[in-house]
Amino acid sequence: MMIYPEHYKSSLSQRETQRAIKIVKDTFQAALAGALNLDRVTAPLMVTKKSGINDDLNGVERKVHFTMKNIDGEAEVVQSLAKWKRRALYRYGYNPGEGIYTDMNAIRRDDDTDNLHSLFVDQWDWCKVIKREERNLDYLKETVQKIVDAIYFTNEKVKKSYSKLGLDMKREVFFITTQELEDMYPDLTAKERENAITKEHGTVFLMQIGGKLKSGEKHDGRAPDYDDWKLNGDILFWNSLLDCAFEISSMGIRVDAESLHAQLVEADALEREQFDFHKGILDGTFPLTIGGGIGQSRLCMLLLQKAHIGEVQCAIWSDEMRQECKEHGIILL
């Protein structure tokens, strides 16, 4: 559902926007890499279907796939690199406390396009090797705060570069589980609960996404084979321009052998244990990790105070959306 802020006009011209996007991306990725001890690596745009490496997201999204001229089988455009990163850490020989990040570009053909959602996804995908004793909520919360600190630092840099921008961002993170949130607002939908808690606290990490709540419903879907549903969450900021909770990152401590098997059982997806990737987790070949994705266009949109993600990225939009946006002062790239 589209949101059109009343009397909206971007504070930056399109040319200024392009320069500002570079400031956001350059500043944040350097801050992120320093805070989490990450190396930048190159990453694939496509993987083979048989590898089991592609992210299944909520498990229902159709992947863009194609056959190849000189290679047997099918290839798929990635939906994210949640699984690929963990295998890369193993192959490249990373140790606990070390990690990687990359520019991830993806096509999600089944996303509903609106202010926040595009068929094109660009994010910083990152992953870090951890010790067994670090698979806990305290370590997760500590990592979340470091990411939010990097975002806060980037916002301050943007404000110094463009006096017309002045996003008021809360640095302290409020942590809450999806069950605690449902208990607080039992009569609201999942999205309405997110809006209520984020409007109150400004910066929120909503934890434990993927499993069923006491109501029998899920707060949101998560694939069963990358995040541990008890040790994951979303970073949300309050977007006063759009008057809604604004997700910047989905992240978490990744599954170990025990949680992977349990979640595959719950998702009725045990057949995935035949894939090499899943075998590498079950037999302990792949390291224990924490990781996630941080939306590049999402972050630019938030810090540059844009009303539509199409103001900071080039993508495909319907003619009707382009016209409606133009009528409300939103100029899509």
Side-chain angles (χ1 to χ4, degrees):
M1 181 177 176
M2 286 294 297
I3 302 170
Y4 294 111
E6 190 174 1
H7 308 305
Y8 173 76
K9 187 178 187 304
S10 174
S11 298
L12 303 178
S13 68
Q14 287 191 314
R15 187 170 181 178
E16 287 175 320
T17 296
Q18 295 298 325
R19 292 171 175 166
I21 288 171
K22 187 175 188 301
I23 291 174
V24 171
K25 291 187 175 183
D26 288 351
T27 303
F28 176 73
Q29 65 184 354
L32 178 72
L36 299 184
N37 191 27
L38 308 176
D39 292 334
R40 189 190 182 283
V41 299
T42 57
L45 176 63
M46 65 202 86
V47 295
T48 61
K49 182 177 181 179
K50 66 180 181 181
S51 69
I53 288 293
N54 207 351
D55 189 345
D56 293 296
L57 302 179
N58 294 324
V60 298
E61 293 86 353
R62 298 174 299 160
K63 304 177 182 73
V64 177
H65 60 95
F66 55 93
T67 57
M68 299 160 283
K69 182 177 179 180
N70 297 318
I71 303 174
D72 293 335
E74 281 191 312
E76 298 174 340
V77 176
V78 298
Q79 295 196 122
S80 91
L81 297 172
K83 300 171 187 174
W84 177 89
K85 292 175 295 185
R86 190 167 185 175
R87 189 177 70 169
L89 287 169
Y90 165 72
R91 292 175 61 197
Y92 300 164
Y94 279 80
N95 298 308
E98 302 172 338
I100 59 175
Y101 80 95
T102 189
D103 293 304
M104 192 284 297
N105 295 319
I107 298 174
R108 297 182 183 172
R109 60 190 288 186
D110 286 332
D111 273 12
D112 295 320
T113 56
D114 55 25
N115 300 72
L116 308 182
H117 297 91
S118 169
L119 302 181
F120 170 67
V121 178
D122 57 341
Q123 62 186 35
W124 291 284
D125 250 329
W126 67 274
C127 200
K128 182 177 180 179
V129 180
I130 61 175
K131 301 174 183 177
R132 168 64 63 178
E133 56 267 29
E134 291 172 327
R135 295 192 80 258
N136 58 64
L137 282 176
D138 287 341
Y139 187 83
L140 176 64
K141 290 178 179 180
E142 178 185 329
T143 303
V144 169
Q145 187 62 63
K146 288 180 179 180
I147 294 171
V148 171
D149 287 345
I151 293 173
Y152 185 90
F153 173 78
T154 305
N155 184 48
E156 293 301 301
K157 178 70 175 291
V158 168
K159 289 195 291 186
K160 288 180 182 178
S161 301
Y162 295 93
S163 58
K164 293 178 284 188
L165 299 175
L167 180 65
D168 184 19
M169 176 177 291
K170 190 168 183 180
R171 189 169 190 169
E172 182 181 354
V173 182
F174 180 77
F175 295 91
I176 188 170
T177 68
T178 53
Q179 187 58 64
E180 290 170 337
L181 191 59
E182 184 185 60
D183 292 343
M184 288 177 64
Y185 303 108
D187 298 326
L188 299 184
T189 66
K191 186 54 64 177
E192 288 169 344
R193 294 196 290 268
E194 288 186 6
N195 287 337
I197 199 69
T198 310
K199 185 172 185 178
E200 179 180 356
H201 293 281
T203 303
V204 172
F205 187 62
L206 182 58
M207 301 181 289
Q208 300 181 1
I209 299 175
K212 289 184 179 180
L213 303 173
K214 292 177 184 177
S215 63
E217 301 294 325
K218 294 182 178 182
H219 180 85
D220 198 0
R222 284 293 187 276
D225 46 9
Y226 58 95
D227 280 348
D228 185 325
W229 292 344
K230 296 178 181 178
L231 295 168
N232 71 348
D234 289 344
I235 298 176
L236 308 172
F237 291 96
W238 181 248
N239 188 319
S240 58
L241 177 63
L242 299 180
D243 197 35
C244 69
F246 193 85
E247 180 191 329
I248 285 291
S249 175
S250 173
M251 59 169 289
I253 291 175
R254 302 317 201 189
V255 289
D256 59 5
E258 181 180 354
S259 56
L260 172 61
H261 180 74
Q263 290 176 187
L264 289 176
V265 170
E266 185 173 341
D268 193 23
L270 271 177
E271 72 280 356
R272 297 187 191 181
E273 291 189 347
Q274 68 181 308
F275 290 126
D276 289 342
F277 171 78
H278 299 73
K279 291 177 181 177
I281 297 174
L282 293 169
D283 66 15
T285 298
F286 293 153
L288 299 174
T289 60
I290 184 174
I294 302 167
Q296 295 188 11
S297 290
R298 282 281 184 97
L299 185 61
C300 292
M301 182 184 170
L302 179 68
L303 301 191
L304 304 184
Q305 297 173 261
K306 300 288 189 175
H308 194 290
I309 198 166
E311 295 179 272
V312 294
Q313 68 161 229
C314 295
I316 297 175
W317 313 101
S318 69
D319 293 338
E320 292 79 10
M321 180 178 289
R322 282 190 174 275
Q323 183 58 36
E324 285 185 15
C325 285
K326 185 177 182 180
E327 291 170 0
H328 288 86
I330 300 171
I331 309 301
L332 304 182
L333 297 179

